[in-house]
Amino acid sequence: MHIPDGFINGATSAGFGVAAAGGVGAALRQTGKYLSERQVPLAGLVAAFVFAAQMVNFPVVSGMSGHLLGGVLAAVLVGPWAGFVVVAVVLLVQGIFFADGGLSALGLNIVNLGFIGAVGGYAIYRALLRALPKNQRGVIVSAGIAAGIAVPLAALGFVIQYAIGGTVDISMGTVLTAMLGTHVLIGIGEGIITAFVIAAVVRSRPDLVYGAPQYTGVRTEVLS
Amino acid sequence: MAGGHVHALYRHGESALHGLLPQTKIAAAFLFVFAVVATPREAFWAFGSYAFILIGLAAYAGLGIKFVATRMIVEIPFVIASLAFPFIAGGDKVTVLGIQLSQSGLWDMWNVLAKATLGLLTSIVLAGTTEIPNMLKGLDALRVPRVITAIMGFMIRYLDVVLGEFRRMRVAMRSRGHDPKWLGHARPYAASAGAIFVRSYERGERVYLAMASRGYAGHMPRSTIEPAPATQWLGVLAVPMFAWLIVALAWWSL
């Protein structure tokens, strides 16, 4: 569920819109070094994959289902900056074509799910991988935990936006508890699913996984 | 969730709204939504005017009630969430049908629902009257980086293909007796998602190679951007400008 119009006031939404545009611009400069001609169709297909994965529900408990957000998944698979670009494109398409997430809230959503979710989540992934063995298991576990943490972190992004420009008279404490409470649970699902998906890819094609030590493409940063 | 048929988002028509250059419509939609968001919640007449404008445009473009209603389904989870506001917001209480409700919570619910619904209607009118390639051209004309619009184009083009693979995989699992009940049963789903990622990636490479063999050298041939004449800009932007006039009036009359 993306932030709709009207939840955060106009000035804050516009401010985050500018920040998101700047962030995407910076990500493009980062990826420009390797998001070459070859990568444009690829990024499009990865975006289609993330969008499709978000549309397909998986079971949580009997009768209830959830879906993937995919920030860390995209970042580990194609790199943090390309992952950010992919998530931003997914949100743009959802907002403009599918009316999912408000047009005025696009910047808010891109900052939360793209910047915090993908770039922030990837930073957590790298930190975990440094501590864990650099084998397949280490990659899978790090990705799962990072995805699990990134979801409540993105929810925290919303809480900060709400603190700056929320239009609803609900106390910060209540918003924080409600958002974190639900998103810790969502994060558990996200972490498990992300780990399973990464496991499936890293076992068959580890050379495609940007965040895995066996990656054969060009990285924008050095894996320590 | 709603199906992923991107072509179902556009409603073919011959109205003047369909014929406008996309960049003017996109800019107008964003400006209009920001006007809606900036409107004080007490100004019922302002929201009424916005609704009148949007419904008028939708009717003029021949979008049809069924089309608009189907597209509004995305709002339902949010409507349910906002119904909680009167119960959890602070401030003075009012008693409605014997239930204590927060006065400001009721205002919040109205404010958020009205603005979210109007924003949604704006998006529906925009997407309903603008064909996908034109929308991308419009974004190009508005100086959205070409890499972004190119990725958007590829994404939309292959979305149905990727979604179709997910569906087929599901049908295959179900027909073999897979009946997921809780998160622990999600592993086959995730494994198939992983397989679909590998396929999507390889498809991306294949698409690139096919394009390279047709002479692709890193840039799509520049689709000619048709600059919108000033009169059209003025005519289309008059709608959000009118909305901003309403905003000014609404704040002034508070």
Side-chain angles (χ1 to χ4, degrees):
Chain A
M1 196 161 94
H2 305 323
I3 307 172
D5 296 306
F7 211 97
I8 305 288
N9 68 34
T12 312
S13 304
F16 274 92
V18 172
V24 172
L28 284 178
R29 276 191 295 282
Q30 282 288 322
T31 52
K33 296 171 203 147
Y34 81 108
L35 192 84
S36 52
E37 44 172 286
R38 199 182 189 104
Q39 241 109 0
V40 170
L42 207 64
L45 269 143
V46 174
F49 167 76
V50 170
F51 195 146
Q54 286 190 359
M55 276 186 157
V56 178
N57 287 339
F58 58 81
V60 179
V61 283
S62 198
M64 271 183 54
S65 61
H67 68 85
L68 205 66
L69 299 172
V72 170
L73 181 65
V76 172
L77 289 173
V78 297
W81 296 108
F84 178 36
V85 171
V86 161
V87 174
V89 166
V90 169
L91 288 167
L92 259 174
V93 170
Q94 284 171 337
I96 293 179
F97 293 97
F98 287 82
D100 188 4
L103 290 181
S104 72
L106 256 173
L108 304 166
N109 285 317
I110 290 178
V111 168
N112 291 346
L113 298 169
F115 190 73
I116 303 180
V119 181
Y122 190 79
I124 301 171
Y125 166 78
R126 291 301 318 284
L128 289 167
L129 196 63
R130 208 159 289 159
L132 289 163
K134 275 162 212 48
N135 53 22
Q136 284 188 3
R137 185 158 299 200
V139 169
I140 295 164
V141 171
S142 306
I145 297 174
I149 299 173
V151 171
L153 220 55
L156 210 59
F158 169 78
V159 175
I160 292 168
Q161 290 160 354
Y162 179 83
I164 300 172
T167 60
V168 182
D169 179 31
I170 298 173
S171 73
M172 281 303 299
T174 315
V175 173
L176 190 70
T177 331
M179 285 300 285
L180 282 189
T182 47
H183 285 83
V184 162
L185 293 179
I186 297 171
I188 294 172
E190 177 89 5
I192 293 172
I193 299 288
T194 301
F196 283 158
V197 178
I198 293 287
V201 181
V202 91
R203 285 195 182 122
S204 56
R205 290 291 302 272
D207 55 311
L208 295 188
V209 181
Y210 180 98
Q214 299 92 338
Y215 181 66
T216 52
V218 187
R219 277 203 193 86
T220 43
E221 39 130 27
V222 192
L223 268 198
S224 53
Chain B
M1 293 298 286
H5 292 286
V6 188
H7 44 81
L9 303 174
Y10 170 74
R11 185 92 172 190
H12 183 71
E14 307 283 328
S15 77
L17 205 56
H18 283 81
L20 289 171
L21 283 167
Q23 59 266 43
T24 58
K25 272 189 279 186
I26 298 169
F30 273 91
L31 288 171
F32 190 87
V33 169
F34 270 101
V36 170
V37 171
T39 308
R41 56 180 69 185
E42 294 82 3
F44 291 112
W45 62 273
F47 294 108
S49 322
Y50 300 145
F52 183 78
I53 294 171
L54 289 170
I55 294 169
L57 287 173
Y60 175 66
L63 293 185
I65 294 171
K66 203 178 147 205
F67 174 81
V68 176
T70 324
R71 301 279 331 269
M72 304 228 14
I73 291 172
V74 283
E75 204 192 3
I76 290 174
F78 187 72
V79 172
I80 294 168
S82 62
L83 289 181
F85 295 165
F87 297 97
I88 53 177
D92 292 340
K93 302 280 181 191
V94 284
T95 311
V96 181
L97 301 169
I99 308 166
Q100 288 259 306
L101 295 175
S102 154
Q103 216 162 359
S104 59
L106 285 170
W107 273 114
D108 294 335
M109 186 179 79
W110 150 252
N111 180 49
V112 169
L113 281 185
K115 289 176 179 177
T117 308
L118 291 166
L120 187 58
L121 263 177
T122 311
S123 297
I124 294 172
V125 171
L126 173 65
T129 61
T130 314
E131 268 183 298
I132 290 160
N134 284 336
M135 190 84 88
L136 296 177
K137 274 188 199 167
L139 291 171
D140 274 339
L142 291 171
R143 308 275 169 85
V144 172
R146 274 175 171 275
V147 183
I148 296 287
T149 50
I151 297 176
M152 283 175 87
F154 279 106
M155 172 188 167
I156 293 167
R157 197 170 306 160
Y158 287 97
L159 185 57
D160 279 345
V161 176
V162 177
L163 268 170
E165 290 197 333
F166 268 97
R167 285 203 197 99
R168 281 197 295 282
M169 203 78 96
R170 257 203 167 185
V171 169
M173 285 196 289
R174 284 231 182 90
S175 62
R176 286 170 179 77
H178 178 62
D179 179 24
K181 287 265 183 336
W182 67 289
L183 196 52
H185 293 158
R187 178 150 202 177
Y189 154 76
S192 63
I196 291 168
F197 171 78
V198 174
R199 280 191 212 170
S200 302
Y201 199 103
E202 285 168 349
R203 191 187 297 272
E205 288 180 322
R206 234 165 42 232
V207 168
Y208 165 74
L209 290 174
M211 287 169 63
S213 72
R214 292 187 214 108
Y216 173 68
H219 297 282
M220 294 301 278
R222 277 191 171 260
S223 53
T224 41
I225 295 172
E226 207 180 323
T231 46
Q232 191 176 125
W233 271 114
L234 269 175
V236 177
L237 290 187
V239 178
M241 285 312 134
F242 182 66
W244 277 100
L245 189 73
I246 293 176
V247 174
L249 269 172
W251 281 107
W252 177 72
S253 65
L254 268 190

